[in-house]
Amino acid sequence: MSGFLEARPRVGYYYTGKTDTEELNNQLHKLTVKHYQSIAVVVSESDSVYDAICTMFLEDVGTLFVVDKQSHLAGVLSRKDLLRASLGRQDTEAIPVSIIMTRMPNITVCKKEDLVVYAATKLIERQIDALPVVKDAGGEKYEVVGRVTKTNITKVLVDLANNQLF
Amino acid sequence: MSGFLEARPRVGYYYTGKTDTEELNNQLHKLTVKHYQSIAVVVSESDSVYDAICTMFLEDVGTLFVVDKQSHLAGVLSRKDLLRASLGRQDTEAIPVSIIMTRMPNITVCKKEDLVVYAATKLIERQIDALPVVKDAGGEKYEVVGRVTKTNITKVLVDLANNQLF
């Protein structure tokens, strides 16, 4: 309790059992993905690796999401995937992104109602840079509505430190 | 105060004026870079872009630091820099990293005694993925002793949420 309370002579207090760390957890466990997500940048399954690299630079993002003809999530492309594909002087204009992307069902997703802490935990566990924020589109298909990256999580920590949480 | 304290009849308390958010800030403002930094992966100024890309994959890092012959920090290479350099089917084995790296003094650095929050703020402000953790080597030169990335910061948030702060 020290730090929160100081006793006056002949005056007592008792403690509810919560520590300040628990209070902090309560705070952290209220933050949801929708308050911190970024806009998703998508490419089509038939786009070339070269197109995807150009989109990545134009939009200045680290992860692209790949959608099929029905605009459902089909894959994820990281800078690492694109760098690997562009090694060895291959003709990146001739390779479609569907060859090199990480595919469903190997994609970890989140919903906008999920906790930021859940998204952060998934990013660490799966060793990835970004999660797509998705909406169910029926039949185990997802529509992409945003992205959560380690940059978003880093901003949460900075906001937390500056008392500027959403 | 609610949540922390409950009054007993005829017993009082007074509040020190700190909120739980301030307590959280106190916690966050004790965490220093040295508790969360990762190992730095370095390449030499004369290495080729191709070598750097290979090192990046072998060591599985997103940022490499470039050192000169005296092992002092000379530059930084991100995945984005390497991806840009490998576009257009250039001969990446013929280009030294010193052509494409971000150079001193345009590199933002931190020390191991700096707060994690300071490092996080710099990562967001400068829109970069990693900071080198450095030690003064005299004459405005730095020795690289570690790296702090958005992955490290994301781990801080996860640890904070799980009550497992260092």
Side-chain angles (χ1 to χ4, degrees), chain B residues 26-165:
Chain B
N26 289 345
Q27 267 203 309
L28 267 181
H29 288 104
K30 278 176 206 154
L31 294 181
T32 55
V33 161
K34 67 168 172 271
H35 297 133
Y36 280 92
Q37 72 185 43
S38 300
I39 291 169
V41 179
V42 302
V43 293
S44 157
E45 270 186 312
S46 54
D47 285 353
S48 72
V49 168
Y50 182 84
D51 289 340
I53 295 175
C54 292
T55 305
M56 195 169 265
F57 276 102
L58 284 172
E59 304 283 346
D60 198 19
V61 293
T63 306
L64 296 172
F65 302 122
V66 183
V67 295
D68 62 18
K69 281 177 189 147
Q70 288 77 44
S71 293
H72 296 146
L73 178 63
V76 173
L77 286 169
S78 67
R79 274 191 194 140
K80 205 168 152 183
D81 296 328
L82 294 176
L83 189 56
R84 193 185 293 110
S86 69
L87 263 185
R89 279 170 272 171
Q90 296 174 59
D91 184 2
T92 51
E93 285 173 68
I95 311 169
V97 291
S98 54
I99 303 279
I100 64 157
M101 69 188 187
T102 301
R103 288 184 170 277
M104 288 296 287
N106 299 320
I107 303 172
T108 308
V109 300
C110 68
K111 307 276 170 80
K112 68 181 181 0
E113 304 81 21
D114 285 337
L115 292 175
V116 164
V117 168
Y118 168 85
T121 307
K122 287 293 165 200
L123 289 171
I124 295 295
E125 278 177 7
R126 303 292 303 253
Q127 300 187 30
I128 48 180
D129 289 327
L131 295 177
V133 184
V134 299
K135 219 163 59 174
D136 274 322
E140 297 189 14
K141 297 284 188 187
Y142 295 121
E143 188 188 324
V144 184
V145 295
R147 72 181 209 284
V148 184
T149 67
K150 286 175 183 166
T151 306
N152 299 129
I153 306 293
T154 302
K155 273 185 192 148
V156 172
L157 197 92
V158 172
D159 285 358
L160 208 60
N162 296 328
N163 276 338
Q164 293 176 332
L165 277 189

Side-chain angles (χ1 to χ4, degrees), chain A residues 1 3-6 8 11-12 14-16 18-21 23-25 27-29 50 53 57 60 79-80 82-84 86-87 89-91 93 116-117 120-121 124 129 150-151 153-158 160-161 163, chain B residues 1 3-6 8 11-16 18-21 23-25 27-29 50 53 57 60 79-80 82-84 86-87 89-91 93 117 120-121 124 129 150-151 153-158 160-161 163:
Chain A
M1 285 306 295
F4 279 101
L5 285 182
E6 276 157 18
R8 281 188 175 131
V11 169
Y14 79 104
Y15 179 41
T16 59
K18 286 186 189 172
T19 62
D20 45 336
T21 321
E23 277 297 314
L24 152 59
N25 272 352
Q27 267 204 309
L28 266 181
H29 287 103
Y50 182 84
I53 295 174
F57 276 102
D60 198 21
R79 274 192 193 140
K80 204 168 152 183
L82 294 174
L83 189 56
R84 192 186 293 111
S86 69
L87 263 185
R89 281 171 269 172
Q90 296 174 59
D91 184 2
E93 285 173 69
V116 164
V117 167
T121 308
I124 295 296
D129 288 329
K150 286 175 183 167
T151 306
I153 306 294
T154 304
K155 273 185 192 148
V156 172
L157 197 93
V158 171
L160 208 60
N163 275 337
Chain B
M1 285 305 293
F4 278 103
L5 286 180
E6 278 157 17
R8 280 188 175 132
V11 170
Y13 48 78
Y14 78 106
Y15 179 41
T16 58
K18 286 185 189 173
T19 63
D20 45 338
T21 320
E23 276 298 314
L24 151 61
N25 272 352
Q27 267 203 309
L28 267 181
H29 288 104
Y50 182 84
I53 295 175
F57 276 102
D60 198 19
R79 274 191 194 140
K80 205 168 152 183
L82 294 176
L83 189 56
R84 193 185 293 110
S86 69
L87 263 185
R89 279 170 272 171
Q90 296 174 59
D91 184 2
E93 285 173 68
V117 168
T121 307
I124 295 295
D129 289 327
K150 286 175 183 166
T151 306
I153 306 293
T154 302
K155 273 185 192 148
V156 172
L157 197 92
V158 172
L160 208 60
N163 276 338

Side-chain angles (χ1 to χ4, degrees), chain A residues 26-85:
Chain A
N26 290 344
Q27 267 204 309
L28 266 181
H29 287 103
K30 279 176 207 153
L31 293 182
T32 54
V33 161
K34 67 169 172 268
H35 297 134
Y36 280 94
Q37 73 185 41
S38 299
I39 290 170
V41 179
V42 302
V43 294
S44 156
E45 269 186 312
S46 54
D47 285 353
S48 71
V49 168
Y50 182 84
D51 289 340
I53 295 174
C54 292
T55 305
M56 195 169 264
F57 276 102
L58 283 171
E59 304 284 345
D60 198 21
V61 293
T63 306
L64 297 172
F65 302 121
V66 184
V67 295
D68 62 19
K69 280 176 188 150
Q70 289 78 42
S71 294
H72 296 146
L73 178 64
V76 172
L77 287 169
S78 67
R79 274 192 193 140
K80 204 168 152 183
D81 296 327
L82 294 174
L83 189 56
R84 192 186 293 111

Side-chain angles (χ1 to χ4, degrees), chain A residues 33-34 36-43 62-67 71-78 81 101-116 118-120 122-123 126-136 141-150 152-153:
Chain A
V33 161
K34 67 169 172 268
Y36 280 94
Q37 73 185 41
S38 299
I39 290 170
V41 179
V42 302
V43 294
T63 306
L64 297 172
F65 302 121
V66 184
V67 295
S71 294
H72 296 146
L73 178 64
V76 172
L77 287 169
S78 67
D81 296 327
M101 69 188 188
T102 301
R103 286 185 170 276
M104 289 296 288
N106 299 321
I107 303 172
T108 308
V109 301
C110 68
K111 306 277 169 81
K112 68 181 182 359
E113 304 79 26
D114 285 336
L115 292 175
V116 164
Y118 169 85
K122 287 293 164 197
L123 290 170
R126 304 291 303 253
Q127 300 187 28
I128 48 181
D129 288 329
L131 294 178
V133 184
V134 299
K135 219 162 60 173
D136 275 322
K141 296 286 186 182
Y142 294 121
E143 188 188 325
V144 184
V145 294
R147 72 182 211 283
V148 184
T149 66
K150 286 175 183 167
N152 298 129
I153 306 294

